[in-house]
Amino acid sequence: MKILFDERQLLHAPLDYFRQGKQIPHPEQPQRAVLLRDALVADGHRLVQPGDHGTGPIKAVHDAGYVDFFETAWERWAAYADGDTIAVPNYHVSHGLNRLPTGIVGQLGYYTTDTACPVTPGTRDAIYWSAQAAIDGAHRLIGGEDLVYSLCRPPGHHASRMNSNGFCFFNNAAIAAHHLRQKFERVMILDIDTHAGQGTQDIFYERGDVFFVSIHVDPSDYPPFFACYADERGRGAGLGASLNIVLDKGTEEPDILAGVDQMVAAAREFQADAVVVSLGFDMATDDPLSELTFSGTGFEGAAARIMALNLPTLLVQEGGYLGPSLANNAVQFLRAAETARRDI
Ligand SMILES: [Zn+2]
């Protein structure tokens, strides 16, 4: 399988963030992508440089001001902070009190919703090329390719139209899904990261042409907290085109795979003609952020179920942190996906 990845995606280098009242090392490290890339190349997959498709496809999903903000955010911050620091806001926008200010601190607080999305010197290039990896994958499906893996890092599914959240800046899967609409009438997003893809849901919540289904830990006491509850089914033209399969903490593999069966059934019912998988590996039992029990065999099972749809499929990397099984779970998922596709 082709792995779309650009070295510049490694340039976003967050140091730490706040959790449980402590400043701890940031889990979304460049090393994640290095591990995934190296393990997959060693398993016979082919590394491919994504083409540069510009900011057009990104701005088709995100607010133009938000996208442009990152062009100069680091330089503006460096001039303001006058030192060797990374850009983290100490103000955030409020419900209803949401004017866009002109200064860098206020704009950081306007566009980022937590302290997990610091802007570092290489953030702009990293998020741009992470998005290009996804766009190029979509472009390839439009051109007739059948199964492609976009090694997106930083991840994307927590980012909404004009907000960064949960390590995510540009919503790679959403950008790819929207891009796929150039050819495919009905696009399905299957989000199997342990965290709900609330940014993706938000982007497509009122659209009926892109169906978003996510399986994740109950957000009532787990990030991203503020959306993706089971009763959220879309609005307006999108009513019925969002589906959230909510798991209790501690849910084990057979029940999770039963949830994946529900996702696949939803895709069949929707009569999707292309699939984007928001592929997180943080459901794995040994993932540092996991609250579930899931193994490499489980990832193989998920891949086989999704591939049974027999649709053009773009795999977009989301979460999955530096636990012992990260690289192996990716190897097993991609191997199972290819095998299933060959067998159809
Ligand atoms: Zn996650």
Side-chain angles (χ1 to χ4, degrees):
M1 192 181 313
K2 286 177 188 151
I3 305 171
L4 294 167
F5 178 71
D6 186 289
E7 291 289 318
R8 282 166 282 191
Q9 293 174 233
L10 303 175
L11 294 174
H12 173 61
L15 299 174
D16 40 31
Y17 82 137
F18 285 100
R19 195 170 174 215
Q20 294 180 319
K22 292 190 283 276
Q23 207 166 349
I24 63 167
H26 199 293
E28 206 289 287
Q29 289 297 314
Q31 183 65 13
R32 298 174 55 240
V34 172
L35 283 175
L36 292 169
R37 179 197 63 191
D38 292 353
L40 292 168
V41 167
D43 203 47
H45 301 285
R46 187 152 66 88
L47 199 58
V48 176
Q49 166 74 36
D52 186 349
H53 301 268
T55 55
I58 304 173
K59 289 180 176 174
V61 161
H62 288 285
D63 174 77
Y66 173 70
V67 176
D68 291 341
F69 168 72
F70 291 103
E71 291 294 327
T72 56
W74 165 251
E75 287 73 16
R76 292 171 63 203
W77 173 268
Y80 155 77
D82 194 25
D84 186 21
T85 61
I86 58 176
V88 182
N90 53 335
Y91 286 85
H92 288 286
V93 70
S94 310
H95 306 293
L97 302 172
N98 52 7
R99 293 285 295 272
L100 175 63
T102 56
I104 181 64
V105 178
Q107 288 195 352
L108 261 179
Y110 186 83
Y111 288 131
T112 66
T113 55
D114 59 20
T115 59
C117 297
V119 176
T120 77
T123 298
R124 182 267 170 202
D125 281 356
I127 62 178
Y128 180 82
W129 284 102
S130 186
Q132 296 304 323
I135 297 160
D136 202 62
H139 193 69
R140 285 167 186 277
L141 258 57
I142 289 168
E145 293 187 39
D146 184 51
L147 175 61
V148 179
Y149 171 61
S150 297
L151 205 184
C152 294
R153 183 277 161 186
H157 71 153
H158 297 310
S160 50
R161 203 175 69 84
M162 54 192 289
N163 283 124
S164 306
N165 176 263
F167 319 151
C168 301
F169 296 84
F170 293 154
N171 194 316
N172 308 306
I175 293 165
H178 182 80
H179 202 68
L180 284 169
R181 284 283 292 105
Q182 291 178 12
K183 174 174 180 181
F184 300 100
E185 284 293 310
R186 299 161 82 79
V187 177
M188 190 81 190
I189 301 176
L190 304 172
D191 187 317
I192 62 166
D193 189 282
T194 200
H195 304 94
Q198 93 282 19
T200 316
Q201 173 172 286
D202 184 39
I203 287 165
F204 295 113
Y205 205 59
E206 299 188 10
R207 283 175 56 169
D209 56 335
V210 178
F211 194 119
F212 170 77
V213 56
S214 176
I215 188 166
H216 50 259
V217 171
D218 183 350
S220 62
D221 189 27
Y222 190 71
F225 298 117
F226 307 116
C228 293
Y229 292 71
D231 61 356
E232 296 170 27
R233 294 302 319 271
R235 189 186 302 125
L239 187 60
S242 290
L243 178 62
N244 291 286
I245 298 167
V246 174
L247 305 172
D248 292 331
K249 289 179 183 176
T251 300
E252 298 192 354
E253 197 155 297
D255 290 333
I256 296 170
L257 288 173
V260 177
D261 284 331
Q262 276 181 265
M263 300 171 82
V264 170
R268 284 211 171 90
E269 198 176 322
F270 180 58
Q271 299 183 304
D273 43 19
V275 171
V276 174
V277 182
S278 264
L279 181 57
F281 294 113
D282 46 9
M283 283 200 296
T285 311
D286 62 9
D287 187 279
L289 302 186
S290 180
E291 297 280 356
L292 302 173
T293 300
F294 208 63
S295 71
T297 313
F299 283 108
E300 284 177 356
R305 283 163 170 79
I306 293 167
M307 289 303 126
L309 285 167
N310 196 21
L311 293 170
T313 302
L314 177 64
L315 308 175
V316 174
Q317 184 60 48
E318 300 286 359
Y321 301 93
L322 294 171
S325 71
L326 172 64
N328 191 56
N329 291 333
V331 166
Q332 286 191 251
F333 188 99
L334 264 66
R335 215 184 263 173
E338 260 187 351
T339 304
R341 188 47 52 93
R342 259 199 308 274
D343 289 348
I344 286 169

